[in-house]
Amino acid sequence: MRASQKDFENAMNQVKLLKKDPGNEVKLKLYALFKQATEGPCNMPKPGVFDFVNKAKWDAWNALGSLPKETARHNYVDLVSSLSSSLESSSQVEPGADKKSTGYETLMMTLEDGITKIVFNRPTKKNAINTKMYDEIMRALKAASKDDSSLTVLTGNGDYYSSGNDLTNFTDIPPGGVEEKAKNSAILLREFVDCFIDFPKPLIAAVNGPAVGISVTLLGLFDAVFASDRATFHTPFSHLGQTPEGCSSYTFPKIMGPAKATEMLVFGKKLTAREACTNGLVTEVFPDSTFQKEVWTRLKAFAKLPPNAMRISKEVMRNSEKEKLHAVNAEECSVLQGRWLSDECLNAVSNFLSRKARL
Ligand SMILES: CCCCC/C=C/C(=O)SCCNC(=O)CCNC(=O)[C@H](O)C(C)(C)COP(=O)(O)OP(=O)(O)OC[C@H]1O[C@@H](n2cnc3c(N)ncnc32)[C@H](O)[C@@H]1OP(=O)(O)O
């Protein structure tokens, strides 16, 4: 049975009442079907390459070709009806996830048993790091460096450790245009990575699931990396028209040798947790079923060690490198500033945002 104009109007109202965000992919489908149902085939000029959001919308509408208005109206009503039932009943997110807690919007932070735990907390976005989260991680690290804990642990809520830089960061273009955006991003990135270089206490990653991009490169600046056997390590910089950051252009060749570092940083090879352990990036791998229990037993034992001895040992091991690391960080950020303006990068981000590509 075909959807009537009344069904269509009801569906439009239902969309506004959805309690959960259906996600960008579905929103683009809804937009495209709505435009096709009301205006027919796409009749707008194609937006420019920098106009990510409007280009994604245009792509979605244009992809419907000459689909008749009635069919688009019917498909729109069907889609809204399937969303109303599935979204109201599904609960994929852990309690407390994506909610404000302890003064942070994108993180959870606790201090217990001498351990400060910082949890990436955007599970529905695979813990992608948006601008707010960069700021909050810096704030959390600064607080952890001064609190009573002996060590600090970073981990992720949900099935991912982190999917790296939130690619929608690129859509928030300031009045000065993309050049200003690239400049601001380079400043932010440099300050962010500096916080890891300068962190004074033992810094440990509990990599609970896949890690992408900057969440992988930073691991070279951690003092220990424990991984679930479900974790993977992926730095698809060339695929994104980008270049390494997080000091990985220096730490990765040093940790794993230039050949293995090139496989990861230049050719984007995704490593399993065991491969990352063999390459020296990961300290130890645990079965996913016992990961939390085994890692936290280990961490609690570490936290009982004399904190000053641990801090000073870290200082002795790392201090001779600090100047070099800051210089590498500055250089990587400066190179990236240029890459972010390249067609290679802009097209890759645009493809992700219009759902054409998956890494
Ligand atoms: C300013 C400092 C810059 C620092 C430079 C840093 C560089 C990097 O970190 S480069 C690496 C960037 N990351 C990526 O390229 C990963 C992109 N994401 C993906 O390829 C996939 O999302 C996935 C493989 C991580 C997971 O795929 P899948 O299991 O199919 O899940 P979805 O794609 O449906 O993801 C769910 C939801 O989360 C959103 N999302 C995931 N990752 C990102 C991300 N990095 N940026 C923005 N959004 C992300 C995804 O769009 C989905 O959202 P909805 O559609 O709204 O549900």
Side-chain angles (χ1 to χ4, degrees):
M1 209 170 73
R2 284 279 166 218
S4 64
Q5 180 60 26
K6 185 81 192 142
D7 294 332
F8 184 60
E9 281 160 19
N10 284 343
M12 280 159 54
N13 289 330
Q14 249 177 303
V15 166
K16 292 180 201 140
L17 298 174
L18 288 175
K19 289 196 187 106
K20 286 183 189 152
D21 186 331
N24 288 341
E25 195 165 356
V26 173
K27 283 194 281 197
L28 281 174
K29 259 190 211 148
L30 285 170
Y31 167 83
L33 287 169
F34 175 83
K35 294 294 274 184
Q36 191 86 6
T38 52
E39 295 180 35
C42 181
N43 53 12
M44 309 263 291
K46 188 173 181 175
V49 70
F50 296 131
D51 194 355
F52 297 118
V53 174
N54 285 323
K55 183 163 176 300
K57 286 172 152 181
W58 187 91
D59 283 340
W61 183 10
N62 191 49
L64 294 181
S66 56
L67 187 78
K69 278 184 171 184
E70 299 70 35
T71 313
R73 191 168 65 185
H74 181 79
N75 292 354
Y76 180 92
V77 171
D78 266 2
L79 179 55
V80 173
S81 137
S82 70
L83 284 176
S84 304
S85 40
S86 74
L87 282 179
E88 302 316 314
S89 60
S90 76
S91 145
Q92 315 141 331
V93 177
E94 287 180 32
D98 285 352
K99 295 232 175 79
K100 287 185 191 185
S101 66
T102 63
Y104 294 96
E105 208 175 276
T106 64
L107 304 175
M108 291 188 282
M109 190 172 172
T110 53
L111 198 176
E112 215 179 313
D113 299 320
I115 304 170
T116 292
K117 179 170 151 189
I118 300 171
V119 185
F120 304 136
N121 193 26
R122 298 184 72 218
T124 57
K125 299 291 178 191
K126 309 290 183 194
N127 296 323
I129 308 177
N130 60 10
T131 308
K132 179 104 200 153
M133 194 155 160
Y134 283 109
D135 286 337
E136 292 194 344
I137 293 170
M138 289 192 278
R139 180 151 64 88
L141 285 175
K142 278 172 192 153
S145 70
K146 294 190 204 111
D147 68 16
D148 291 337
S149 64
S150 322
L151 45 94
T152 296
V153 178
L154 261 72
T155 191
N157 184 15
D159 60 343
Y160 262 64
Y161 175 68
S162 167
S163 61
N165 187 40
D166 189 317
L167 296 175
T168 65
N169 287 341
F170 287 102
T171 60
D172 178 21
I173 307 293
V178 280
E179 283 81 10
E180 187 184 335
K181 176 77 196 171
K183 188 169 163 226
N184 294 344
S185 302
I187 291 169
L188 173 67
L189 179 62
R190 185 167 171 190
E191 198 191 341
F192 178 72
V193 175
D194 276 348
C195 287
F196 286 82
I197 298 173
D198 292 328
F199 193 73
K201 299 176 185 176
L203 185 61
I204 294 155
V207 185
N208 54 298
V212 186
I214 190 161
S215 74
V216 177
T217 55
L218 285 172
L219 296 175
L221 299 171
F222 280 62
D223 302 297
V225 178
F226 295 132
S228 150
D229 60 7
R230 214 173 48 75
T232 51
F233 298 82
H234 192 197
T235 48
F237 297 127
S238 300
H239 299 70
L240 292 167
Q242 297 184 41
T243 46
E245 22 62 355
C247 293
S248 58
S249 62
Y250 175 71
T251 56
F252 278 28
K254 205 168 165 230
I255 291 168
M256 60 187 81
K260 294 290 176 193
T262 301
E263 273 191 319
M264 282 191 85
L265 297 177
V266 180
F267 302 130
K269 181 178 177 186
K270 189 196 283 186
L271 300 192
T272 63
R274 297 210 185 285
E275 287 168 333
C277 192
T278 307
N279 286 358
L281 185 63
V282 164
T283 311
E284 195 170 336
V285 181
F286 298 86
D288 193 55
S289 53
T290 55
F291 176 68
Q292 296 295 343
K293 191 165 171 275
E294 292 195 56
V295 167
W296 285 98
T297 305
R298 190 78 57 97
L299 293 171
K300 281 176 192 169
F302 290 169
K304 291 202 174 94
L305 295 169
N308 290 335
M310 287 199 288
R311 191 177 41 76
I312 296 164
S313 296
K314 170 168 178 167
E315 212 172 279
V316 170
M317 287 171 74
R318 299 261 175 185
N319 264 12
S320 56
E321 290 267 79
K322 262 195 186 174
E323 211 178 306
K324 172 76 184 167
L325 290 170
H326 283 298
V328 170
N329 183 26
E331 173 64 11
E332 286 178 346
C333 293
S334 152
V335 171
L336 261 174
Q337 185 176 333
R339 290 310 306 164
W340 287 325
L341 299 172
S342 70
D343 284 349
E344 288 179 349
C345 176
L346 292 165
N347 287 333
V349 173
S350 172
N351 281 347
F352 174 81
L353 295 175
S354 50
R355 308 317 244 180
K356 281 187 199 145
R358 268 290 178 273
L359 298 167

